[in-house]
Short mmCIF file of all heavy atoms in Angstrom, two decimals:
data_model
loop_
_atom_site.label_atom_id
_atom_site.label_comp_id
_atom_site.label_asym_id
_atom_site.label_seq_id
_atom_site.Cartn_x
_atom_site.Cartn_y
_atom_site.Cartn_z
N MET A 1 -14.13 -6.72 -12.32
CA MET A 1 -12.75 -7.12 -12.56
C MET A 1 -12.21 -7.69 -11.26
O MET A 1 -12.49 -7.15 -10.17
CB MET A 1 -11.88 -5.93 -12.99
CG MET A 1 -12.31 -5.24 -14.26
SD MET A 1 -11.19 -3.90 -14.76
CE MET A 1 -9.79 -4.86 -15.39
N GLY A 2 -11.46 -8.77 -11.37
CA GLY A 2 -10.94 -9.32 -10.15
C GLY A 2 -10.08 -10.55 -10.35
O GLY A 2 -9.51 -10.74 -11.44
N TRP A 3 -10.02 -11.36 -9.30
CA TRP A 3 -9.11 -12.49 -9.27
C TRP A 3 -9.78 -13.73 -8.68
O TRP A 3 -10.52 -13.63 -7.70
CB TRP A 3 -7.89 -12.15 -8.42
CG TRP A 3 -7.11 -11.00 -8.97
CD1 TRP A 3 -7.29 -9.68 -8.68
CD2 TRP A 3 -6.04 -11.07 -9.91
NE1 TRP A 3 -6.40 -8.92 -9.40
CE2 TRP A 3 -5.62 -9.74 -10.16
CE3 TRP A 3 -5.39 -12.11 -10.58
CZ2 TRP A 3 -4.59 -9.44 -11.04
CZ3 TRP A 3 -4.37 -11.80 -11.45
CH2 TRP A 3 -3.97 -10.49 -11.68
N TYR A 4 -9.50 -14.85 -9.30
CA TYR A 4 -9.82 -16.16 -8.77
C TYR A 4 -8.51 -16.92 -8.63
O TYR A 4 -7.47 -16.51 -9.16
CB TYR A 4 -10.75 -16.92 -9.72
CG TYR A 4 -12.19 -16.47 -9.67
CD1 TYR A 4 -12.58 -15.22 -10.15
CD2 TYR A 4 -13.18 -17.31 -9.16
CE1 TYR A 4 -13.91 -14.82 -10.10
CE2 TYR A 4 -14.51 -16.92 -9.11
CZ TYR A 4 -14.87 -15.67 -9.59
OH TYR A 4 -16.18 -15.28 -9.54
N ARG A 5 -8.56 -18.06 -7.94
CA ARG A 5 -7.37 -18.89 -7.82
C ARG A 5 -7.75 -20.36 -7.80
O ARG A 5 -8.85 -20.71 -7.43
CB ARG A 5 -6.56 -18.53 -6.58
CG ARG A 5 -7.24 -18.88 -5.26
CD ARG A 5 -6.40 -18.36 -4.09
NE ARG A 5 -7.04 -18.69 -2.81
CZ ARG A 5 -6.61 -18.24 -1.64
NH1 ARG A 5 -5.52 -17.46 -1.57
NH2 ARG A 5 -7.24 -18.59 -0.54
N ARG A 6 -6.78 -21.17 -8.22
CA ARG A 6 -6.95 -22.62 -8.17
C ARG A 6 -5.72 -23.23 -7.53
O ARG A 6 -4.62 -23.13 -8.10
CB ARG A 6 -7.19 -23.22 -9.54
CG ARG A 6 -7.30 -24.74 -9.52
CD ARG A 6 -7.52 -25.29 -10.89
NE ARG A 6 -8.91 -25.06 -11.30
CZ ARG A 6 -9.29 -24.98 -12.58
NH1 ARG A 6 -8.40 -25.07 -13.54
NH2 ARG A 6 -10.56 -24.79 -12.88
N ALA A 7 -5.91 -23.82 -6.38
CA ALA A 7 -4.82 -24.52 -5.70
C ALA A 7 -4.74 -25.95 -6.24
O ALA A 7 -5.73 -26.46 -6.78
CB ALA A 7 -5.07 -24.53 -4.20
N PRO A 8 -3.61 -26.60 -6.10
CA PRO A 8 -3.46 -27.97 -6.60
C PRO A 8 -4.54 -28.89 -6.05
O PRO A 8 -4.77 -28.93 -4.84
CB PRO A 8 -2.07 -28.37 -6.11
CG PRO A 8 -1.34 -27.08 -5.96
CD PRO A 8 -2.35 -26.08 -5.52
N GLY A 9 -5.22 -29.59 -6.94
CA GLY A 9 -6.24 -30.54 -6.54
C GLY A 9 -7.54 -29.94 -6.09
O GLY A 9 -8.43 -30.66 -5.62
N GLN A 10 -7.70 -28.63 -6.26
CA GLN A 10 -8.93 -27.98 -5.81
C GLN A 10 -9.60 -27.24 -6.96
O GLN A 10 -9.01 -27.02 -8.00
CB GLN A 10 -8.62 -27.01 -4.66
CG GLN A 10 -8.05 -27.67 -3.42
CD GLN A 10 -7.89 -26.72 -2.27
OE1 GLN A 10 -8.52 -25.66 -2.23
NE2 GLN A 10 -7.06 -27.08 -1.32
N GLN A 11 -10.85 -26.86 -6.73
CA GLN A 11 -11.57 -26.09 -7.74
C GLN A 11 -11.18 -24.62 -7.67
O GLN A 11 -10.70 -24.12 -6.64
CB GLN A 11 -13.08 -26.23 -7.51
CG GLN A 11 -13.61 -27.63 -7.77
CD GLN A 11 -15.12 -27.69 -7.68
OE1 GLN A 11 -15.74 -26.89 -6.99
NE2 GLN A 11 -15.71 -28.64 -8.39
N ARG A 12 -11.41 -23.95 -8.79
CA ARG A 12 -11.14 -22.51 -8.82
C ARG A 12 -12.10 -21.80 -7.87
O ARG A 12 -13.29 -22.12 -7.82
CB ARG A 12 -11.28 -22.00 -10.24
CG ARG A 12 -10.85 -20.56 -10.43
CD ARG A 12 -10.54 -20.25 -11.88
NE ARG A 12 -11.60 -20.61 -12.79
CZ ARG A 12 -11.48 -20.59 -14.11
NH1 ARG A 12 -10.31 -20.24 -14.66
NH2 ARG A 12 -12.49 -20.94 -14.87
N GLU A 13 -11.60 -20.82 -7.13
CA GLU A 13 -12.41 -20.11 -6.16
C GLU A 13 -12.18 -18.60 -6.27
O GLU A 13 -11.12 -18.14 -6.68
CB GLU A 13 -12.07 -20.56 -4.73
CG GLU A 13 -10.65 -20.24 -4.31
CD GLU A 13 -10.37 -20.57 -2.85
OE1 GLU A 13 -11.26 -21.06 -2.15
OE2 GLU A 13 -9.22 -20.32 -2.41
N LEU A 14 -13.20 -17.87 -5.86
CA LEU A 14 -13.11 -16.42 -5.85
C LEU A 14 -12.08 -15.97 -4.82
O LEU A 14 -12.05 -16.48 -3.69
CB LEU A 14 -14.47 -15.82 -5.49
CG LEU A 14 -14.49 -14.32 -5.17
CD1 LEU A 14 -14.32 -13.51 -6.44
CD2 LEU A 14 -15.76 -13.94 -4.44
N VAL A 15 -11.25 -15.02 -5.20
CA VAL A 15 -10.37 -14.34 -4.26
C VAL A 15 -10.96 -12.97 -3.94
O VAL A 15 -11.29 -12.68 -2.80
CB VAL A 15 -8.94 -14.19 -4.81
CG1 VAL A 15 -8.07 -13.44 -3.81
CG2 VAL A 15 -8.34 -15.55 -5.14
N ALA A 16 -11.09 -12.14 -4.96
CA ALA A 16 -11.67 -10.82 -4.77
C ALA A 16 -12.09 -10.26 -6.12
O ALA A 16 -11.42 -10.48 -7.13
CB ALA A 16 -10.69 -9.86 -4.10
N VAL A 17 -13.21 -9.54 -6.12
CA VAL A 17 -13.71 -8.90 -7.32
C VAL A 17 -14.16 -7.50 -6.96
O VAL A 17 -14.74 -7.29 -5.88
CB VAL A 17 -14.88 -9.69 -7.93
CG1 VAL A 17 -15.58 -8.90 -9.02
CG2 VAL A 17 -14.41 -11.02 -8.49
N ARG A 18 -13.92 -6.56 -7.88
CA ARG A 18 -14.35 -5.18 -7.66
C ARG A 18 -15.19 -4.73 -8.84
O ARG A 18 -14.82 -4.94 -10.00
CB ARG A 18 -13.13 -4.27 -7.51
CG ARG A 18 -13.47 -2.88 -7.00
CD ARG A 18 -12.21 -2.20 -6.49
NE ARG A 18 -12.44 -0.85 -6.03
CZ ARG A 18 -12.78 -0.55 -4.78
NH1 ARG A 18 -12.93 -1.49 -3.88
NH2 ARG A 18 -12.98 0.71 -4.44
N THR A 19 -16.32 -4.12 -8.51
CA THR A 19 -17.20 -3.64 -9.56
C THR A 19 -16.75 -2.27 -10.05
O THR A 19 -15.95 -1.59 -9.39
CB THR A 19 -18.65 -3.55 -9.08
OG1 THR A 19 -18.73 -2.48 -8.12
CG2 THR A 19 -19.10 -4.84 -8.43
N ALA A 20 -17.30 -1.84 -11.17
CA ALA A 20 -16.97 -0.52 -11.70
C ALA A 20 -17.41 0.57 -10.75
O ALA A 20 -16.82 1.65 -10.70
CB ALA A 20 -17.62 -0.34 -13.07
N GLY A 21 -18.44 0.29 -9.97
CA GLY A 21 -18.94 1.26 -9.01
C GLY A 21 -18.19 1.30 -7.70
O GLY A 21 -18.45 2.15 -6.84
N GLY A 22 -17.24 0.35 -7.53
CA GLY A 22 -16.40 0.38 -6.34
C GLY A 22 -16.76 -0.61 -5.25
O GLY A 22 -16.13 -0.64 -4.20
N ASN A 23 -17.77 -1.44 -5.49
CA ASN A 23 -18.10 -2.47 -4.50
C ASN A 23 -17.12 -3.62 -4.60
O ASN A 23 -16.61 -3.93 -5.69
CB ASN A 23 -19.52 -2.98 -4.72
CG ASN A 23 -20.55 -1.89 -4.43
OD1 ASN A 23 -20.41 -1.12 -3.50
ND2 ASN A 23 -21.58 -1.82 -5.27
N THR A 24 -16.87 -4.29 -3.48
CA THR A 24 -15.89 -5.37 -3.42
C THR A 24 -16.50 -6.63 -2.84
O THR A 24 -17.25 -6.57 -1.87
CB THR A 24 -14.68 -4.95 -2.58
OG1 THR A 24 -14.04 -3.84 -3.20
CG2 THR A 24 -13.67 -6.08 -2.46
N GLU A 25 -16.16 -7.74 -3.46
CA GLU A 25 -16.47 -9.06 -2.90
C GLU A 25 -15.13 -9.74 -2.64
O GLU A 25 -14.23 -9.66 -3.48
CB GLU A 25 -17.29 -9.90 -3.87
CG GLU A 25 -18.64 -9.31 -4.21
CD GLU A 25 -19.34 -10.11 -5.29
OE1 GLU A 25 -18.97 -11.27 -5.52
OE2 GLU A 25 -20.27 -9.56 -5.94
N ARG A 26 -15.00 -10.40 -1.51
CA ARG A 26 -13.71 -10.98 -1.15
C ARG A 26 -13.94 -12.26 -0.37
O ARG A 26 -14.86 -12.35 0.44
CB ARG A 26 -12.93 -9.95 -0.32
CG ARG A 26 -11.47 -10.17 -0.17
CD ARG A 26 -10.79 -8.90 0.31
NE ARG A 26 -11.63 -8.11 1.18
CZ ARG A 26 -11.44 -6.84 1.45
NH1 ARG A 26 -10.43 -6.20 0.90
NH2 ARG A 26 -12.24 -6.19 2.26
N ALA A 27 -13.10 -13.24 -0.58
CA ALA A 27 -13.19 -14.49 0.16
C ALA A 27 -12.85 -14.24 1.62
O ALA A 27 -11.97 -13.44 1.94
CB ALA A 27 -12.23 -15.51 -0.43
N ASP A 28 -13.52 -14.96 2.51
CA ASP A 28 -13.26 -14.80 3.95
C ASP A 28 -11.80 -15.10 4.27
O ASP A 28 -11.22 -14.49 5.17
CB ASP A 28 -14.18 -15.71 4.75
CG ASP A 28 -15.62 -15.24 4.75
OD1 ASP A 28 -15.87 -14.05 4.43
OD2 ASP A 28 -16.50 -16.05 5.07
N SER A 29 -11.22 -16.04 3.55
CA SER A 29 -9.86 -16.48 3.87
C SER A 29 -8.81 -15.41 3.60
O SER A 29 -7.68 -15.53 4.08
CB SER A 29 -9.52 -17.73 3.05
OG SER A 29 -9.60 -17.46 1.67
N VAL A 30 -9.16 -14.37 2.83
CA VAL A 30 -8.17 -13.35 2.52
C VAL A 30 -8.48 -12.00 3.14
O VAL A 30 -7.71 -11.05 3.00
CB VAL A 30 -8.00 -13.19 0.98
CG1 VAL A 30 -7.68 -14.53 0.34
CG2 VAL A 30 -9.24 -12.56 0.34
N LYS A 31 -9.60 -11.91 3.83
CA LYS A 31 -9.97 -10.62 4.44
C LYS A 31 -8.93 -10.21 5.48
O LYS A 31 -8.46 -11.04 6.26
CB LYS A 31 -11.35 -10.73 5.09
CG LYS A 31 -12.48 -10.76 4.06
CD LYS A 31 -13.84 -10.86 4.74
CE LYS A 31 -14.96 -10.87 3.69
NZ LYS A 31 -16.31 -11.03 4.30
N GLY A 32 -8.57 -8.94 5.42
CA GLY A 32 -7.55 -8.43 6.32
C GLY A 32 -6.14 -8.62 5.82
O GLY A 32 -5.19 -8.08 6.41
N ARG A 33 -5.98 -9.37 4.73
CA ARG A 33 -4.64 -9.62 4.19
C ARG A 33 -4.51 -9.16 2.74
O ARG A 33 -3.47 -8.66 2.33
CB ARG A 33 -4.31 -11.11 4.26
CG ARG A 33 -4.34 -11.69 5.66
CD ARG A 33 -3.82 -13.12 5.69
NE ARG A 33 -4.62 -14.02 4.88
CZ ARG A 33 -4.14 -14.76 3.88
NH1 ARG A 33 -2.85 -14.68 3.55
NH2 ARG A 33 -4.95 -15.56 3.20
N PHE A 34 -5.54 -9.36 1.94
CA PHE A 34 -5.51 -9.02 0.52
C PHE A 34 -6.39 -7.79 0.27
O PHE A 34 -7.48 -7.68 0.82
CB PHE A 34 -6.05 -10.15 -0.35
CG PHE A 34 -5.20 -11.39 -0.40
CD1 PHE A 34 -4.12 -11.58 0.45
CD2 PHE A 34 -5.50 -12.39 -1.32
CE1 PHE A 34 -3.35 -12.72 0.40
CE2 PHE A 34 -4.74 -13.54 -1.40
CZ PHE A 34 -3.67 -13.71 -0.51
N THR A 35 -5.89 -6.92 -0.60
CA THR A 35 -6.64 -5.72 -0.97
C THR A 35 -6.74 -5.66 -2.48
O THR A 35 -5.72 -5.75 -3.18
CB THR A 35 -5.96 -4.46 -0.44
OG1 THR A 35 -5.83 -4.53 0.98
CG2 THR A 35 -6.76 -3.22 -0.82
N ILE A 36 -7.96 -5.49 -2.97
CA ILE A 36 -8.16 -5.33 -4.41
C ILE A 36 -8.42 -3.87 -4.70
O ILE A 36 -9.10 -3.17 -3.95
CB ILE A 36 -9.32 -6.22 -4.92
CG1 ILE A 36 -9.39 -6.17 -6.45
CG2 ILE A 36 -10.64 -5.83 -4.29
CD1 ILE A 36 -10.33 -7.22 -7.04
N SER A 37 -7.84 -3.40 -5.79
CA SER A 37 -8.08 -2.04 -6.23
C SER A 37 -8.17 -2.03 -7.75
O SER A 37 -7.78 -3.00 -8.41
CB SER A 37 -6.97 -1.09 -5.75
OG SER A 37 -5.72 -1.49 -6.25
N ARG A 38 -8.69 -0.95 -8.26
CA ARG A 38 -8.98 -0.90 -9.68
C ARG A 38 -8.76 0.51 -10.20
O ARG A 38 -9.16 1.48 -9.55
CB ARG A 38 -10.43 -1.35 -9.89
CG ARG A 38 -10.94 -1.30 -11.28
CD ARG A 38 -12.31 -1.95 -11.35
NE ARG A 38 -12.90 -1.72 -12.65
CZ ARG A 38 -14.01 -2.28 -13.08
NH1 ARG A 38 -14.66 -3.14 -12.31
NH2 ARG A 38 -14.48 -1.99 -14.27
N ASP A 39 -8.11 0.61 -11.35
CA ASP A 39 -7.93 1.89 -12.03
C ASP A 39 -8.72 1.83 -13.33
O ASP A 39 -8.27 1.22 -14.31
CB ASP A 39 -6.44 2.12 -12.31
CG ASP A 39 -6.14 3.49 -12.89
OD1 ASP A 39 -7.05 4.07 -13.53
OD2 ASP A 39 -5.02 3.96 -12.74
#
């Protein structure tokens, strides 16, 4: 479960995804600023 984004004129890109087991993938551009969590 997670989030992607599409900026004007650009392709959709990964922001952050979290697996059911708790692992996280996150774009370098948002590290340190965005936090993904899951219930």
Side-chain angles (χ1 to χ4, degrees):
M1 300 183 75
W3 298 89
Y4 283 69
R5 68 185 180 188
R6 177 180 284 155
Q10 297 186 20
Q11 292 186 334
R12 187 159 53 189
E13 63 175 1
L14 169 74
V15 178
V17 169
R18 192 163 178 89
T19 69
N23 293 321
T24 297
E25 298 174 19
R26 197 164 33 198
D28 288 342
S29 60
V30 305
K31 286 180 179 177
R33 301 188 299 123
F34 292 10
T35 302
I36 187 169
S37 60
R38 177 172 171 172
D39 186 334

